[in-house]
Amino acid sequence: MVSEKKEPGIWEGFKAFLMRGNVVDLAVAVVIGAAFTNIVNSVVKGVINPLVGAFGTKNLDHYSSCLKAPCKRDAAGEITDGIPIMWGSVLSAVLSFVITAAVVYFLMVLPMAKYLARVAAKRAEKEGTKEVMEVTELEVLKEIRDALVAQRTAPGPEGPSDERPDGRPGLP
């Protein structure tokens, strides 16, 4: 009787996929990232844009250049004629990205790297100490062995003895 291997079904495979730790970590990262994006966007709109606005307009989205003249705007500020290049929107997105990357690096990546380096250094120090202790113990055991061999083969008043002090024969 040949037993067939039953392949896991789609549902079992999906459950196994969801139960992997990295999927849960990724889901948490996405949720936190989405919440963090709101904070960064608020900083850009509330702090960076007004700083840039000190030199021009407060809203970076209004910075543009006209590729094909003439660019005409209506009362709402929308381009009605011409081909505009909206480089202010790109600048705003780049600033958001740089701020997000800086915050993630300086508040998350750098401290975690320092922590992991400290843990690795402590682990290496412990392993180094353990290795030194093992080497020291090994050397002590070698010295004891050498002393016993020297004691056994050392000539006494009547020459080297093959007997132990208790009268039993020694090792050949």
Side-chain angles (χ1 to χ4, degrees):
M1 179 176 203
V2 177
S3 66
E4 293 183 27
K5 256 190 170 178
K6 184 180 177 185
E7 291 187 26
I10 294 175
W11 184 248
E12 287 83 18
F14 183 66
K15 286 192 324 190
F17 171 73
L18 289 179
M19 291 300 138
R20 281 194 233 160
N22 56 357
V23 173
V24 174
D25 293 342
L26 180 61
V28 169
V30 168
V31 170
I32 289 177
F36 186 68
T37 300
N38 290 334
I39 294 171
V40 170
N41 288 338
S42 296
V43 168
V44 169
K45 289 179 182 172
V47 177
I48 303 297
N49 285 354
L51 290 175
V52 172
F55 303 105
T57 179
K58 182 177 178 184
N59 190 353
L60 290 178
D61 294 337
H62 290 181
Y63 285 104
S64 65
S65 297
C66 193
L67 185 62
K68 184 176 179 184
C71 283
K72 295 179 184 174
R73 294 184 184 267
D74 60 8
E78 298 291 323
I79 302 291
T80 57
D81 193 19
I83 300 174
I85 300 209
M86 307 299 290
W87 57 270
S89 299
V90 175
L91 179 63
S92 179
V94 167
L95 286 173
S96 293
F97 173 77
V98 168
I99 291 171
T100 302
V103 168
V104 166
Y105 179 76
F106 289 113
L107 295 182
M108 295 176 193
V109 173
L110 191 61
M112 182 59 82
K114 286 183 179 182
Y115 170 74
L116 291 176
R118 237 180 314 163
V119 168
K122 284 183 182 179
R123 185 177 299 135
E125 182 181 316
K126 284 181 182 178
E127 288 176 2
T129 304
K130 184 178 179 183
E131 188 175 302
V132 168
M133 288 175 55
E134 289 175 1
V135 169
T136 305
E137 289 175 6
L138 184 61
E139 288 184 9
V140 168
L141 290 173
K142 284 180 182 178
E143 288 177 12
I144 292 171
R145 179 200 63 202
D146 293 344
L148 289 173
V149 168
Q151 183 182 16
R152 184 174 45 134
T153 60
E158 61 272 343
S161 170
D162 286 337
E163 287 188 7
R164 294 182 182 170
D166 60 357
R168 293 186 299 155
L171 295 174

